Amino acid sequence: MARRFAPLVIALLVVLYAAVAQAAPTVTIIGTVPVDATIGAGEKCSVIWKIDSTGSGTYQVEVGGAGTAGSGTEVVASNGSGDYSGTTTGTTTVSADDDLKNGAGDYQIYVIATEGSDTAFATTTIHLNVPPAAVTGLLLLRGDSELFLSWDPNTEDTLDHYLVYYATHSGAKASDYDGADATEGRSPIKVGNTTQFTLSGLTNEVKYYVRVAAVDTSDAIGPLSEERSGIPTATVAFAQLQDDKGECFIATAAYGSDHPMVRNLRALRDHVLRHSAVGRWFIRAYYHLSPPLAGWIAHRPAARAVVRTALTPAAWAAGCEVRHPGSISLTLVLMLGLAWLAVRQRRGNGEGA
């Protein structure tokens, strides 16, 4: 009886052995370096994996896809693919610059084992954290116990808010800006997704240094902007020259704060000059140099008359430039220059002294 069933038992054992020998491989992600699999631009992440098999085959490490060889994009590193035999452990390096080319976000990484007609895979996620670009075009205008800030908007889709850093001394890095006296809070101040902000409650005649940085939805902080400085100044020597949270000192001294010509010049500043690098440079220079001269003009009727005469064509040109951009910008610049020279000449001659 035993002899009758012996061939059957042997055949069954052969089938079972063949089934075990040809069992599909299994793939496991052991871990990543860094552990949280979060990297920045120019960095790399190591994916440590293991294939358990009784046979041999090939492996591919791919970004994206569906877990089958060729459905994603193979990692470019030399260890992104190869052969395996039996139980195999390996490490594949994923590069932010070479493999994660769609910008900040999560990337699915697949380790795929192919053995004959069998395929197995394991997956992990790498997070690419690319901070926003540096803020540009930072402009400071001074007021009474205040500094009025504006800057160019960042263009990242993931932008969430900005941080304003300030201190009473110059700095090179974020931690250098330790200002604490602004009404809005200690440095840095979270200001929302806006390109204008007012630092108030500052000490007049004290020089403040300011930088701005952009922050994305992942709380990645971009590089600091260029440093700007400003000195809040009390409106005593040139009373009533402060207007609409940004000064037109000389024009206001000559015409008064709500004259149509002053409104023209303000409109030129807000709608034309602030939108170009040259214009912002002109504004910074003007606000640095003009307050003392404006205070001198405000108390000298003859000087005010000279400035009105010189500025009227320029203010008219400013209105035209705002309504018809590019029409007479050169004329405007020349007229403003003439106004400045006329006042300086009058002051040099001792008018009103």
Side-chain angles (χ1 to χ4, degrees):
M1 191 70 175
R3 290 182 179 179
R4 182 184 302 177
F5 288 103
L8 181 60
V9 171
I10 292 173
L12 182 59
L13 290 174
V14 170
V15 170
L16 290 174
Y17 175 79
V20 171
Q22 297 177 6
T26 59
V27 184
T28 306
I29 303 294
I30 298 175
T32 61
V33 179
V35 175
D36 63 358
T38 296
I39 59 176
E43 298 179 342
K44 297 179 180 180
C45 180
S46 296
V47 179
I48 307 166
W49 48 265
K50 179 182 179 182
I51 299 174
D52 288 302
S53 174
T54 56
S56 59
T58 60
Y59 73 88
Q60 289 82 31
V61 181
E62 299 183 354
V63 180
T68 55
S71 63
T73 302
E74 186 176 311
V75 172
V76 302
S78 60
N79 52 16
S81 63
D83 300 321
Y84 70 86
S85 180
T87 297
T88 303
T89 300
T91 299
T92 299
T93 301
V94 180
S95 166
D97 291 345
D98 296 333
D99 301 309
L100 312 181
K101 297 183 177 181
N102 292 330
D106 292 334
Y107 290 82
Q108 207 70 16
I109 308 299
Y110 291 86
V111 180
I112 306 162
T114 304
E115 194 170 312
S117 60
D118 295 321
T119 297
F121 70 87
T123 183
T124 189
T125 301
I126 294 177
H127 179 72
L128 179 59
N129 191 0
V130 179
V135 172
T136 60
L138 177 60
L139 175 67
L140 264 65
L141 307 181
R142 61 180 178 174
D144 191 349
S145 302
E146 296 176 310
L147 289 176
F148 307 108
L149 285 59
S150 65
W151 56 88
D152 297 335
N154 278 47
T155 59
E156 294 87 357
D157 293 335
T158 57
L159 180 70
D160 185 71
H161 63 276
Y162 294 91
L163 293 174
V164 171
Y165 298 82
Y166 71 98
T168 54
H169 52 81
S170 181
K173 56 185 184 296
S175 59
D176 294 336
Y177 293 86
D178 55 0
D181 47 344
T183 303
E184 291 71 30
R186 301 179 65 91
S187 176
I189 302 172
K190 182 178 178 180
V191 301
N193 192 350
T194 180
T195 58
Q196 294 185 350
F197 184 69
T198 300
L199 276 173
S200 59
L202 305 180
T203 304
N204 284 335
E205 308 307 327
V206 171
K207 194 170 192 177
Y208 288 85
Y209 297 82
V210 178
R211 292 182 188 255
V212 177
V215 184
D216 66 15
T217 52
S218 299
D219 289 330
I221 303 175
L224 296 177
S225 69
E226 290 187 8
E227 185 181 78
R228 302 295 184 205
S229 62
I231 303 174
T233 304
T235 56
V236 176
F238 38 95
Q240 306 304 317
L241 299 183
Q242 177 76 20
D243 64 84
D244 69 356
K245 294 191 174 181
E247 312 93 325
C248 284
F249 288 122
I250 294 176
T252 305
Y255 292 106
S257 63
D258 199 38
H259 193 279
M261 294 302 180
V262 177
R263 291 199 296 269
N264 279 356
L265 292 170
R266 291 175 190 162
L268 179 77
R269 176 199 64 198
D270 294 337
H271 299 293
V272 179
L273 296 180
R274 280 179 174 170
H275 298 285
S276 72
V278 174
R280 288 190 294 271
W281 175 87
F282 178 84
I283 293 172
R284 285 194 294 271
Y286 176 80
Y287 289 131
H288 178 71
L289 298 171
S290 64
L293 181 58
W296 181 84
I297 292 169
H299 302 292
R300 290 168 173 81
R304 293 178 63 190
V306 170
V307 173
R308 284 196 299 270
T309 300
L311 278 184
T312 295
W316 174 83
C320 292
E321 180 69 14
V322 171
R323 290 188 292 271
H324 307 288
S327 58
I328 49 175
S329 56
L330 179 59
T331 301
L332 174 62
V333 172
L334 292 174
M335 290 300 181
L336 288 173
L338 288 173
W340 181 268
L341 290 174
V343 173
R344 285 185 65 86
Q345 182 177 9
R346 174 72 70 170
R347 185 178 182 183
N349 291 336
E351 176 63 40

